[in-house]
Amino acid sequence: MTIQQKFVKEIQNICEKYKEKNFITYMMEDDGVENWTYETFWKRAACVAFESHLSFVKNGDRILVLSPLSPYSCSIIVSLVMIGAVSVVINPELPPEELDMLVEKSDIQGIVCDRINYDKYADKFITKYPVFDITTGEMFEERQYNRKQVVDADEEVLAILYSSGTTSEPKGVMITYEGQRKSSELLLRAFGTNDIRYLLIFPLFHVSGFSTFFALLFGGGQIGLLENSNSMRLMEGFKKY
C-alpha cells in the first residue's frame, strides 16, 4: 500500500468511526446553515472523485484549486487525495497577473473552482485545461483535451501551497503526506482530543488553515466555517458556534 493509499484509508476509517457526528457547520450570509456529517463528507468527496468528470484527473496530476473557504473546497482537497492528484491551492483574490504567474509556475493539468471564480478568472483557460465545478466535479464546458505528463511528479506530495512572496517572488512549498500527518499529530496535542470544536478562519491556501483542517479531520473534530468572513461575521460566528 502506498503512502497516499494509507492516507486515504485513514481518512475513510475516521469517517466511518464518526459517521453520524457533525463534521462541518457552514454558516451562510443569508443566515442559512448547512451541516455535513462525517459520512456525508466522505460520500461527497468519493462521488466527486470517481463518478464525475474529475475522474479525468490521474495520479500525480497537479490541479489548481481556486475557491473561497467552504465545505466544497475542503471536500475537493480530499477528492483529489483519493485520486492521488496534487492540490495546488492559491488565493483567488490575487490580481490576475499574479494568478497567471502561479498557474505558469505550477505545471497544472486542470483547475477546480466555484462559479464566481470561473466567471471572474478561470474561464479563459477553458481551451487549455479542463475546468471543474468544485461542487459537482463536472466540467464547466465539456471538451476533449490532450493529456500531458507532469515532468517532476512526486507521489509523496499531497499539495503545493505558495509563500506570500514578501521577500522575493512566491515559492511553491510541497506538503507531503507524511509531513501533513506529523503536523496533524502536533496540532492535536495542542487542541486536545475530546470533542474539538474549531471555528476555522484561515483559508486553505494558508498553511495554518490547510493543516488545521486535516488535524481536525484526523482528530474527529468539528469545524465551523463562515461564508465571506469579515469582522462582523466573525463575531456572529463566535456567538453561533
Side-chain angles (χ1 to χ4, degrees):
M1 187 179 290
T2 67
I3 192 166
Q4 173 261 340
Q5 290 169 334
K6 290 178 182 177
F7 198 88
V8 172
K9 186 62 178 176
E10 187 167 2
I11 293 174
Q12 183 179 15
N13 290 342
I14 289 290
C15 290
E16 289 176 353
K17 179 179 179 180
Y18 298 107
K19 63 181 182 179
E20 295 181 0
K21 184 177 181 180
N22 195 49
F23 177 37
I24 295 177
T25 297
Y26 187 42
M27 292 165 277
M28 293 172 279
E29 281 191 303
D30 63 3
D31 290 330
V33 175
E34 196 172 313
N35 289 303
W36 291 31
T37 64
Y38 272 86
E39 183 177 39
T40 299
F41 181 84
W42 173 262
K43 286 183 175 179
R44 281 177 180 262
C47 181
V48 169
F50 304 119
E51 298 179 21
S52 73
H53 284 147
L54 198 72
S55 58
F56 170 92
V57 175
K58 303 301 179 186
N59 185 55
D61 283 356
R62 292 192 189 122
I63 303 298
L64 187 74
V65 178
L66 198 67
S67 171
L69 184 60
S70 74
Y72 301 101
S73 57
C74 293
S75 67
I76 204 70
I77 300 291
V78 173
S79 295
L80 293 171
V81 167
M82 291 176 178
I83 297 169
V86 177
S87 299
V88 182
V89 192
I90 63 176
N91 182 359
E93 298 302 319
L94 290 173
E97 59 272 16
E98 289 189 43
L99 291 173
D100 290 346
M101 178 190 69
L102 296 180
V103 169
E104 182 64 28
K105 285 170 65 103
S106 301
D107 188 27
I108 62 171
Q109 285 71 47
I111 299 173
V112 177
C113 63
D114 60 316
R115 168 57 73 174
I116 290 174
N117 282 293
Y118 175 75
D119 292 338
K120 185 172 73 172
Y121 176 75
D123 63 336
K124 69 182 182 180
F125 292 106
I126 201 73
T127 59
K128 189 174 183 180
Y129 309 115
V131 184
F132 305 96
D133 186 328
I134 200 165
T135 62
T136 64
E138 303 297 347
M139 292 183 194
F140 281 100
E141 185 174 326
E142 191 171 355
R143 291 168 171 257
Q144 295 297 316
Y145 295 92
N146 294 320
R147 292 187 52 80
K148 62 173 184 174
Q149 290 296 114
V150 181
V151 296
D152 55 351
D154 189 331
E155 65 180 19
E156 296 185 354
V157 175
L158 158 68
I160 295 175
L161 307 181
Y162 276 92
S163 64
S164 62
T166 51
T167 55
S168 63
E169 69 176 39
K171 306 292 193 304
V173 180
M174 292 186 289
I175 310 295
T176 64
Y177 289 102
E178 183 65 23
Q180 186 55 63
R181 196 65 193 87
K182 293 294 184 184
S183 173
S184 296
E185 290 174 6
L186 290 170
L187 284 169
L188 286 171
R189 288 185 198 175
F191 296 159
T193 55
N194 295 322
D195 196 24
I196 315 161
R197 286 168 58 85
Y198 200 99
L199 188 62
L200 185 59
I201 300 300
F202 283 111
L204 295 178
F205 62 78
H206 191 289
V207 68
S208 176
F210 190 87
S211 295
T212 300
F213 162 67
F214 272 107
L216 292 166
L217 173 56
F218 284 122
Q222 295 178 286
I223 299 174
L225 298 179
L226 296 170
E227 183 179 26
N228 297 328
S229 179
N230 56 39
S231 58
M232 292 299 295
R233 296 275 297 139
L234 181 58
M235 292 307 297
E236 291 172 13
F238 280 129
K239 290 177 183 176
K240 291 180 179 178
Y241 198 68

